[in-house]
Amino acid sequence: DQQVKQNSPSLSVQEGRISILNCDYTNSMFDYFLWYKKYPAEGPTFLISISSIKDKNEDGRFTVFLNKSAKHLSLHIVPSQPGDSAVYFCAASPRRKGGGADGLTFGKGTHLIIQP
Amino acid sequence: DTGVSQDPRHKITKRGQNVTFRCDPISEHNRLYWYRQTLGQGPEFLTYFQNEAQLEKSRLLSDRFSAERPKGSFSTLEIQRTEQGDSAMYLCASSRRTGGAGVTEAFFGQGTRLTVV
């Protein structure tokens, strides 16, 4: 059973427009969420994270929104640039007492393609 | 380079052989994780260490797999009697455990791609 779901295997967006990537989770114990970006033949690169005590976190062109009641989060990229073309993974972790993330549960990823 | 380093980057082995991969984490990171990624899937958690202690193992980690982190520095992942189903990208990541409610993201290495023929 997939505890983190990314239902769109791919997404095509025009350069300069907003890219919205979605992620749903089922495990109520998750309270720390991350987005990773992955280019071919490379390891995932951390992009942005959000703790369950917040509903929004922004870093430059990237904003993550968390809706705990719906168990849904989304990543907004605006404006989208050609270099944003990559596979984006949503990941989640329960936060244990004492801090620190445990092993992450990843979604299957969404391949974002930015069209010039 | 102060990132997570993995060696080798690629490994081709015959079925039934043993293989060992190495991971050097970011130096101040006390947590080290191993993940496996197959085509079309996200990374799947295998195990993690806090310093030299192995704190959690996934059910994906069969008895043919063993991981060590002597002295809490680098880690090795060994697969014995490899099978074709072991073909995957093996990713290592590290993070820093902080006191209180602080959490830090995990930083990944470039991975070791294993092909079992």
Side-chain angles (χ1 to χ4, degrees):
Chain A
D1 64 328
Q2 277 249 290
Q3 297 185 64
V4 176
K5 298 178 186 178
Q6 294 178 257
N7 292 320
S8 299
S10 67
L11 175 67
S12 185
V13 174
Q14 203 165 9
E15 182 179 356
R17 298 289 189 100
I18 183 170
S19 296
I20 300 176
L21 296 98
N22 293 305
C23 177
D24 297 290
Y25 63 96
T26 59
N27 189 337
S28 301
M29 298 299 292
F30 290 151
D31 63 0
Y32 182 50
F33 305 91
L34 309 91
W35 284 93
Y36 282 84
K37 175 180 177 179
K38 187 179 183 303
Y39 293 117
E42 293 186 10
T45 303
F46 170 75
L47 207 51
I48 193 168
S49 64
I50 188 166
S51 164
S52 60
I53 60 174
K54 295 185 176 182
D55 55 18
K56 177 182 173 181
N57 189 26
E58 193 171 351
D59 184 2
R61 297 186 298 115
F62 302 92
T63 303
V64 56
F65 295 92
L66 175 63
N67 182 334
K68 280 187 67 179
S69 60
K71 292 191 176 67
H72 177 84
L73 62 156
S74 61
L75 174 68
H76 293 210
I77 306 172
V78 57
S80 301
Q81 298 175 354
D84 296 330
S85 295
V87 177
Y88 288 79
F89 291 100
C90 172
S93 170
R95 188 190 324 198
R96 298 280 175 90
K97 182 179 177 182
D102 287 322
L104 298 171
T105 301
F106 282 82
K108 290 188 177 184
T110 296
H111 185 193
L112 177 64
I113 302 161
I114 305 301
Q115 306 273 12
Chain B
D1 186 281
T2 56
V4 178
S5 176
Q6 291 189 246
D7 183 69
R9 291 290 307 278
H10 304 274
K11 178 73 177 178
I12 300 174
T13 190
K14 291 185 178 179
R15 191 174 53 184
Q17 297 293 304
N18 299 345
V19 294
T20 301
F21 310 139
R22 177 179 170 125
C23 172
D24 287 273
I26 294 171
S27 59
E28 65 267 25
H29 285 185
N30 48 22
R31 287 199 169 191
L32 186 148
Y33 311 80
W34 285 99
Y35 290 83
R36 180 179 72 183
Q37 185 178 18
T38 53
L39 199 61
Q41 303 293 319
E44 296 172 294
F45 170 73
L46 293 178
T47 188
Y48 89 91
F49 294 83
Q50 178 153 313
N51 299 313
E52 66 276 7
Q54 189 171 15
L55 295 188
E56 190 175 345
K57 294 184 194 179
S58 160
R59 57 184 161 79
L60 294 175
L61 209 67
S62 77
D63 56 6
R64 297 185 297 105
F65 289 69
S66 63
E68 293 183 345
R69 193 183 182 197
K71 302 177 184 177
S73 55
F74 72 92
S75 175
T76 58
L77 177 68
E78 181 183 16
I79 309 174
Q80 296 182 326
R81 305 181 303 281
T82 52
E83 301 172 357
Q84 286 189 319
D86 297 332
S87 296
M89 174 76 83
Y90 289 84
L91 293 162
C92 176
S94 69
S95 72
R96 182 170 53 87
R97 179 179 183 269
T98 65
V103 293
T104 64
E105 63 275 11
F107 291 86
F108 283 81
Q110 292 186 299
T112 294
R113 179 163 294 285
L114 173 66
T115 303
V116 181
V117 297

